[in-house]
Amino acid sequence: MAEATPKKPPDWKHITEPIHDAESLKQESINANHDHLITEIETSDGPLGTTLRAVYEGKELSKFRIRLDDKIRNHDREIERMCNFHYQGFIDSIRELLTVRQDAAKLKDEVQQVDQHLQESCVPLMTKGEELVKCRRIQGNIATAVESLNLCLPVLEMYRKLQEQMTSRRFYPALKTLEQLEHTYLPRVNSHWFAQTMADDIPKQRESIKEASMSDLKDFLENIRKHSGKIGEVAMLHAAEQNNMDPAIVKATRKKVKKRRAPPPPNPFTGEVDAPPPPVIQDEEDEIEDSAELSAQDLIDFSPVYRCLHIYSVLGDRERFETYYRKQRWKQARLSLQPPSNMHESLDSFKRYFHDIVGFFVVEDHILNTTQGLVNRAYIDELWEMAVSKLAASLRTNTVQCKDTSMLLDVKNLIILFCHTLRGYGFSVGHVLELLLEMRDQYNDVLTRQWVDIFNEIFSEDNYTPIYVESIEEYTAIVTQFPIQDENLERESFPKRFPFSQFVPDVYNQVKAYINACLKYSADLHLSHTEIDDMIRKSTNLLLTRTLGSCLSSLIKKPSLTLLQLIQISINMNYLEKSCLYLEEYISSITGAQNDSVHMARLHGTTMFKDAKSDAEEHIYKQLNLKIDEFLDLASYDWLLPEAKGHACGYVIDLVAFLQSTFMSFTNLPDIYLHLLEKVAKTACMSACKHIANSLKEFLLDNETRQLTMGSLQQFNLDLIQCEHFAASEPIPGANDGNLLLAFAGIRQLLDLFLNWDWSLYLADYGQTNSKYVRVQPQVALSLLEKLHNADKKKNTIFGSLNKKERDKKKLLDTVLKQLRGLVNGSTQQIQG
């Protein structure tokens, strides 16, 4: 576009002229407006829409066009004038350009020559340059590769280290390596493809570590289950040394065994298996002795627990691990507390049972003290309470079945050592110690059953004759076994005879042995002297009253014992009764409770031996009466005998001879026995006479005998006279006071009444204390008189008519019968009233 010609300033002189009319003013206004629009079109750099709209909206469009054409013609004139002014300069410039064109062509040819020459010269340089660029590029790549390798090598080195740690099962360092690899090294190599592969593998590696550590923990739990017994045994050995107890209590019987160790498990990451170790032949007892110098915790490697706990803690899964560990250990506790079958049959079974329990709680105590929160005191206490209840139940069941006192003592010592051991680890053992007091009753029961056999064996082996000694050595042996103080016996010359048989010192010594056995159980129970003394006295009382008393009762009741043997037993009871005082002194001496005599319980053996003596005496009387019955069973009376034979029956003569020989044996005993047996002999003799009198009376009053004659009564009187003669002959020295004859007084008065036919006196004096027939009861006389009457009736029917004497006798008999019936009925009515 041609350069715009500067607009001339308006000619203001026309404005100052007077305005002639309105039309000229309007035309000037339109022209001014058109000029203004043209000026805007010329000077505007933006869109012309607004200006053009103003042009077309105006009413003077044609005039605007004319005005615009004028303006264009003015500009064309100005352009032409300007071109004319510069035309010569333009022609000169063209001419100069033509000259320059020739120079430029020449210069171009020269430049082309120079360029060709330069290109030919630079071919080697370009070749070297290209080579240099290539080398520079390679060098840059190498630098980049070195830089990348410097970044990747630590990552790869850490990954290699991780693999080595996993292979060597160093899980905790592997976790640290994983942590560094994930947060420090892998972010540096995020641009490399393997970094993402490694990042994706890290969670799998963590799970592998958890699984591997858990596998180690399971192996540890299995291993600790197998070695709990050994740990417990070592712990109990240490406790035995500390408490000055015999270590032999702890050790179980072991044999030499060929140990084949299981091959090691394959590595969970590489699958490699180490070569299995060779079998080892070792004595387990030597192994225990070797390991006894170590602590219980040194016998097992706890690192799997610590490692697994730390790994799970680092991985944020500690609670799961604690739950699993406690659950598994709770199961193992139940297994340890389950007693082996027939544990009561073997002491080694008890030992292994205690070893397992002690080993279990030693391990738990170590875990409690070396870990933070894996197990706590509340968990241990709950586990211990459960263990105590199951332990007590198992021991009660098995000790009840145990019938060996030595085993019970060993079990008691094991329990004490068990308590010492676990008390040292902070466990409360009060309830377990209370179990020992329960076992004491079981121990005493077993002892009592053993002593039943011992007493019975003593009684069966005894000859029930006094002990004879022929030398001072034999005499000393007896007096050292049994405390006897008898000056007369000491003054006698050898051979000497003790009043008792051998079972007296034997029983005395066995009672002392029982006391010592009871004392053994009291050892290490930490009881006071008074408690021990009271316990032993109660047990001894039970032994004397129940066990020994029952054995003596069974012995005395044996039908095979003779009278002399029963007499010897009665004598023995006297000395055993006196020995109770010495037994009390012995108990006080071994328990050390002499100063507490006020609180001592007395032995009941004195009363028991008195009862046994009375029982023996009763059996002497019964035995004698049974022997008498054997003679009386031979009696065979003819109750219809017309007249007596003139002599006593044979069975009565034999019976009297037997009684005389029997009581003669009492008389021939040494003087030392006389004061012991005088009362027994007199009582036995009186018992025999009473028994004979009662038996003779039963013969007369036998209901099967319906009739009898005076001849049979006279014969019966001869037998009674024979018995009265024995009673009056003083069969026992000092028995001449007439008491023996009183035993036959009742039957004697009855026979005299009938033989003398003294009914008038009997009836007249009946009921008076000084009556001659005061011992004759009306019903007895009536029964016997009716039997005589029945015999007379039979006789009258045979002979038919009766003479006057017989009629008077019959009349008297009827009268007496009537009066006796009256007396009997009166007595009955009086009794009923």
Side-chain angles (χ1 to χ4, degrees):
M1 185 175 178
E3 184 180 355
T5 303
K7 185 178 180 181
K8 293 181 178 182
D11 191 3
W12 292 102
K13 67 180 183 176
H14 296 291
I15 299 175
T16 61
E17 293 179 357
I19 302 174
H20 298 286
D21 50 23
E23 185 69 25
S24 61
L25 291 174
K26 182 178 178 182
Q27 186 63 38
E28 290 178 358
S29 174
I30 292 171
N31 292 335
N33 184 33
H34 288 170
D35 291 339
H36 175 71
L37 291 174
I38 292 170
T39 302
E40 285 185 357
I41 292 171
E42 288 177 347
T43 59
S44 177
D45 293 331
L48 299 176
T50 304
T51 304
L52 293 177
R53 185 182 298 113
V55 172
Y56 283 99
E57 289 179 355
K59 297 180 179 181
E60 299 294 334
L61 180 61
S62 59
K63 292 181 178 181
F64 178 77
R65 291 177 178 173
I66 295 171
R67 190 76 174 167
L68 181 61
D69 290 338
D70 292 337
K71 191 73 173 177
I72 292 171
R73 284 191 297 271
N74 289 331
H75 282 301
D76 287 340
R77 285 192 296 273
E78 289 178 1
I79 293 170
E80 183 178 359
R81 187 173 55 251
M82 187 177 291
C83 288
N84 291 331
F85 178 77
H86 293 289
Y87 177 75
Q88 187 62 41
F90 175 73
I91 295 299
D92 294 337
S93 297
I94 293 299
R95 289 174 180 170
E96 288 178 1
L97 285 174
L98 291 174
T99 305
V100 171
R101 179 181 179 182
Q102 295 175 357
D103 293 337
K106 182 179 179 180
L107 178 62
K108 180 180 177 182
D109 292 338
E110 291 177 359
V111 169
Q112 288 178 347
Q113 292 176 0
V114 172
D115 178 63
Q116 184 177 0
H117 179 72
L118 180 62
Q119 287 182 358
E120 291 175 357
S121 301
C122 287
V123 168
L125 181 62
M126 291 298 292
T127 302
K128 294 295 183 180
E130 289 177 0
E131 292 178 357
L132 179 62
V133 169
K134 185 177 180 180
C135 289
R136 291 290 185 185
R137 188 181 297 113
I138 291 172
Q139 186 178 10
N141 291 339
I142 290 174
T144 303
V146 169
E147 184 180 357
S148 297
L149 286 176
N150 288 333
L151 290 176
C152 294
L153 279 177
V155 177
L156 298 175
E157 180 65 24
M158 291 297 290
Y159 193 78
R160 181 193 63 79
K161 181 180 178 182
L162 172 65
Q163 295 301 319
E164 289 179 354
Q165 291 170 342
M166 299 290 271
T167 303
S168 60
R169 305 180 70 84
R170 297 166 56 209
F171 302 128
Y172 178 60
L175 273 181
K176 289 185 176 180
T177 303
L178 273 176
E179 193 75 17
Q180 294 176 356
L181 189 64
E182 182 179 20
H183 295 96
T184 304
Y185 291 93
L186 283 180
R188 300 175 184 174
V189 292
N190 281 335
S191 59
H192 298 279
W193 63 270
F194 65 85
Q196 186 61 39
T197 302
M198 288 185 178
D200 294 340
D201 189 54
I202 285 176
K204 298 178 182 179
Q205 294 285 1
R206 286 198 175 101
E207 287 299 320
S208 298
I209 291 174
K210 286 176 66 175
E211 292 174 2
S213 63
M214 181 58 71
S215 176
D216 285 351
L217 177 68
K218 291 178 180 178
D219 293 339
F220 166 80
L221 291 174
E222 181 180 355
N223 190 39
I224 202 69
R225 176 76 183 97
K226 294 178 181 178
H227 292 82
S228 288
K230 181 178 177 182
I231 295 172
E233 185 171 357
V234 172
M236 292 180 74
L237 282 172
H238 291 167
E241 293 175 358
Q242 293 172 1
N243 292 275
N244 297 323
M245 297 180 70
D246 186 7
I249 300 173
V250 183
K251 296 179 181 178
T253 305
R254 303 178 185 275
K255 298 180 180 179
K256 291 184 178 181
V257 293
K258 186 176 182 180
K259 293 186 177 180
R260 292 189 176 273
R261 299 179 181 174
N267 190 291
F269 306 104
T270 64
E272 298 178 355
V273 180
D274 297 335
V280 179
I281 299 178
Q282 186 177 7
D283 192 338
E284 293 184 16
E285 188 169 345
D286 294 339
E287 183 182 352
I288 291 295
E289 291 177 356
D290 294 340
S291 60
E293 298 178 358
L294 303 174
S295 66
Q297 294 79 12
D298 294 334
L299 299 174
I300 199 72
D301 180 16
F302 288 89
S303 59
V305 180
Y306 306 145
R307 183 165 55 246
C308 196
L309 173 62
H310 199 81
I311 288 171
Y312 272 75
S313 299
V314 170
L315 297 179
D317 208 4
R318 178 187 177 106
E319 184 177 354
R320 176 187 170 193
F321 172 74
E322 290 178 359
T323 303
Y324 175 81
Y325 176 83
R326 294 184 183 186
K327 182 178 179 181
Q328 294 301 315
R329 288 297 282 167
W330 194 278
K331 290 180 180 179
Q332 290 187 348
R334 293 184 180 276
L335 290 176
S336 297
L337 291 166
Q338 184 176 355
S341 58
N342 299 325
M343 185 171 71
H344 62 279
E345 296 179 356
S346 170
L347 181 61
D348 287 341
S349 298
F350 280 100
K351 292 181 179 180
R352 294 188 182 96
Y353 181 59
F354 284 113
H355 293 167
D356 283 343
I357 297 174
V358 171
F360 177 87
F361 282 101
V362 167
V363 170
E364 288 305 289
D365 179 77
H366 184 71
I367 293 294
L368 174 67
N369 294 324
T370 55
T371 60
Q372 295 180 352
L374 178 57
V375 295
N376 52 32
R377 177 52 63 182
Y379 163 79
I380 294 293
D381 291 341
E382 182 182 2
L383 196 60
W384 174 244
E385 288 178 5
M386 182 273 292
V388 169
S389 62
K390 288 188 174 293
L391 172 67
S394 299
L395 290 179
R396 287 191 186 99
T397 301
N398 286 276
T399 53
V400 165
Q401 301 177 29
C402 184
K403 307 302 179 184
D404 185 1
T405 54
S406 60
M407 181 180 291
L408 284 174
L409 281 175
D410 291 335
V411 171
K412 185 261 309 186
N413 292 330
L414 272 175
I415 294 175
I416 292 174
L417 186 54
F418 172 84
C419 293
H420 285 323
T421 304
L422 290 181
R423 185 189 288 119
Y425 288 93
F427 293 95
S428 175
V429 295
H431 293 296
V432 182
L433 291 175
E434 290 175 2
L435 183 63
L436 292 174
L437 300 180
E438 297 180 22
M439 283 180 57
R440 179 184 64 189
D441 297 333
Q442 171 65 18
Y443 176 78
N444 290 337
D445 290 341
V446 175
L447 273 182
T448 301
R449 287 193 290 270
Q450 288 184 357
W451 256 254
V452 169
D453 297 333
I454 291 173
F455 288 141
N456 288 332
E457 184 179 0
I458 291 173
F459 297 153
S460 63
E461 294 179 354
D462 193 37
N463 56 10
Y464 299 97
T465 57
I467 300 175
Y468 281 87
V469 293
E470 297 182 351
S471 63
I472 186 64
E473 291 79 9
E474 295 177 355
Y475 177 82
T476 304
I478 298 297
V479 296
T480 53
Q481 294 180 27
F482 183 77
I484 180 173
Q485 297 179 356
D486 192 327
E487 296 179 357
N488 295 329
L489 183 62
E490 292 178 359
R491 287 195 297 265
E492 289 182 8
S493 59
F494 290 100
K496 296 182 180 182
R497 183 169 65 174
F498 287 92
F500 46 78
S501 65
Q502 183 61 43
F503 95 56
V504 171
D506 288 346
V507 167
Y508 179 80
N509 288 325
Q510 287 302 326
V511 173
K512 289 175 63 176
Y514 178 88
I515 293 171
N516 292 330
C518 291
L519 183 64
K520 286 182 181 179
Y521 191 88
S522 303
D524 299 322
L525 291 183
H526 304 291
L527 300 175
S528 65
H529 295 307
T530 304
E531 290 175 328
I532 296 175
D533 185 85
D534 184 62
M535 180 191 74
I536 292 179
R537 287 175 183 270
K538 288 181 179 178
S539 301
T540 307
N541 277 329
L542 290 176
L543 176 75
L544 294 176
T545 55
R546 295 184 182 178
T547 308
L548 183 55
S550 177
C551 292
L552 285 172
S553 178
S554 300
L555 170 67
I556 293 170
K557 292 177 182 178
K558 284 185 177 180
S560 60
L561 290 179
T562 64
L563 283 173
L564 291 179
Q565 289 175 331
L566 286 171
I567 293 170
Q568 185 62 60
I569 292 174
S570 177
I571 295 171
N572 290 347
M573 293 304 102
N574 284 316
Y575 287 92
L576 287 176
E577 178 185 346
K578 296 176 182 178
S579 69
C580 289
L581 179 61
Y582 297 101
L583 289 175
E584 290 184 357
E585 294 177 355
Y586 179 73
I587 293 174
S588 298
S589 65
I590 63 174
T591 59
Q594 295 93 332
N595 296 330
D596 298 330
S597 58
V598 176
H599 306 286
M600 288 182 184
R602 296 300 175 185
L603 295 182
H604 301 159
T606 303
T607 304
M608 187 278 296
F609 288 125
K610 286 182 179 179
D611 294 340
K613 178 184 176 183
S614 299
D615 194 14
E617 291 174 357
E618 287 295 327
H619 277 76
I620 290 174
Y621 311 147
K622 291 180 181 179
Q623 188 79 2
L624 184 59
N625 291 341
L626 290 174
K627 195 66 177 177
I628 292 172
D629 287 339
E630 293 179 6
F631 289 97
L632 294 175
D633 289 341
L634 299 176
S636 179
Y637 284 100
D638 182 7
W639 297 110
L640 298 177
L641 191 66
E643 60 181 22
K645 298 178 182 179
H647 57 81
C649 295
Y651 85 91
V652 174
I653 297 173
D654 294 340
L655 174 59
V656 171
F658 165 74
L659 292 174
Q660 288 176 342
S661 62
T662 299
F663 291 107
M664 185 65 68
S665 62
F666 282 90
T667 307
N668 293 333
L669 291 174
D671 295 340
I672 193 172
Y673 296 113
L674 294 180
H675 68 284
L676 298 174
L677 296 176
E678 181 179 359
K679 180 181 177 182
V680 176
K682 288 181 178 180
T683 306
C685 192
M686 176 59 73
S687 174
C689 291
K690 287 182 178 179
H691 186 68
I692 294 171
N694 292 333
S695 298
L696 291 176
K697 188 175 182 180
E698 289 176 359
F699 287 158
L700 287 176
L701 301 178
D702 188 2
N703 291 330
E704 295 182 0
T705 304
R706 300 295 183 181
Q707 52 188 357
L708 53 80
T709 62
M710 292 299 295
S712 62
L713 289 178
Q714 291 171 356
Q715 180 62 44
F716 195 80
N717 182 53
L718 293 176
D719 295 342
L720 180 59
I721 292 172
Q722 191 71 22
C723 295
E724 290 174 333
H725 177 70
F726 165 75
S729 64
E730 195 178 352
I732 300 297
N736 57 352
D737 52 0
N739 287 332
L740 296 179
L741 284 173
L742 289 177
F744 298 97
I747 187 69
R748 168 48 59 196
Q749 292 180 10
L750 180 61
L751 283 178
D752 287 348
L753 175 61
F754 277 85
L755 293 177
N756 297 329
W757 207 252
D758 203 1
W759 293 106
S760 58
L761 181 61
Y762 173 76
L763 294 173
D765 294 343
Y766 178 75
Q768 299 181 9
T769 56
N770 58 351
S771 173
K772 180 179 179 181
Y773 304 104
V774 69
R775 296 179 182 271
V776 179
Q777 298 296 325
Q779 58 269 30
V780 174
L782 177 61
S783 175
L784 197 59
L785 191 58
E786 286 177 345
K787 293 179 181 182
L788 281 174
H789 183 57
N790 292 336
D792 289 342
K793 284 183 180 180
K794 184 177 181 181
K795 181 179 178 182
N796 291 335
T797 58
I798 294 174
F799 294 101
S801 60
L802 298 173
N803 54 30
K804 184 178 183 298
K805 182 178 180 182
E806 290 296 332
R807 287 197 303 271
D808 294 339
K809 182 178 180 182
K810 181 179 180 301
K811 183 178 180 180
L812 177 60
L813 183 60
D814 292 339
T815 302
V816 172
L817 284 172
K818 183 178 179 180
Q819 292 180 355
L820 286 175
R821 289 190 182 101
L823 291 176
V824 171
N825 292 332
S827 299
T828 303
Q829 292 176 0
Q830 185 177 2
I831 292 173
Q832 292 177 350

